[in-house]
């Protein structure tokens, strides 16, 4: 199945901004992160969205999903 992964801020460094991937049915957000060498620590306070909805590491992806990964942000 085909999904799109979008990375933001420092997660793009040495990777990409947006890219399509072919993955097997039942693939989770955590598996995609592992394949991209993004650790849970990098997203400890970050945001995970699937199709614009807040999601978790265990969220199962489906055909056509858009996974967006935002690192932690600081500021005021």
């Amino acid at each position: 199945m085909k999904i799109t992964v979008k990375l933001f801020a420092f997660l793009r460094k040495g990777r990409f901004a947006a890219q399509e991937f072919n993955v097997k049915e039942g693939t989770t957000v955590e598996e995609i992160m592992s394949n991209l060498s993004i650790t849970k620590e990098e997203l400890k306070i970050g945001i995970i969205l699937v199709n614009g909805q807040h999601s978790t590491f265990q969220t199962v992806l489906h055909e056509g999903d858009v996974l967006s990964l935002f690192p932690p942000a600081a500021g005021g």
Side-chain angles (χ1 to χ4, degrees), residues 22-57:
N22 287 310
V23 298
K24 63 181 170 63
E25 291 285 332
T27 297
T28 65
V29 168
E30 186 171 16
E31 289 173 302
I32 297 297
M33 289 173 48
S34 177
N35 290 342
L36 297 174
S37 299
I38 299 172
T39 66
K40 285 184 176 180
E41 305 313 315
E42 287 180 276
L43 285 178
K44 194 168 188 171
I45 312 172
I47 299 171
I48 300 169
L49 300 177
V50 175
N51 303 324
Q53 301 294 314
H54 285 278
S55 301
T56 68
F57 298 117

Side-chain angles (χ1 to χ4, degrees), residues 4 12 15 44:
T4 300
R12 291 180 176 177
R15 295 183 180 105
K44 194 168 188 171

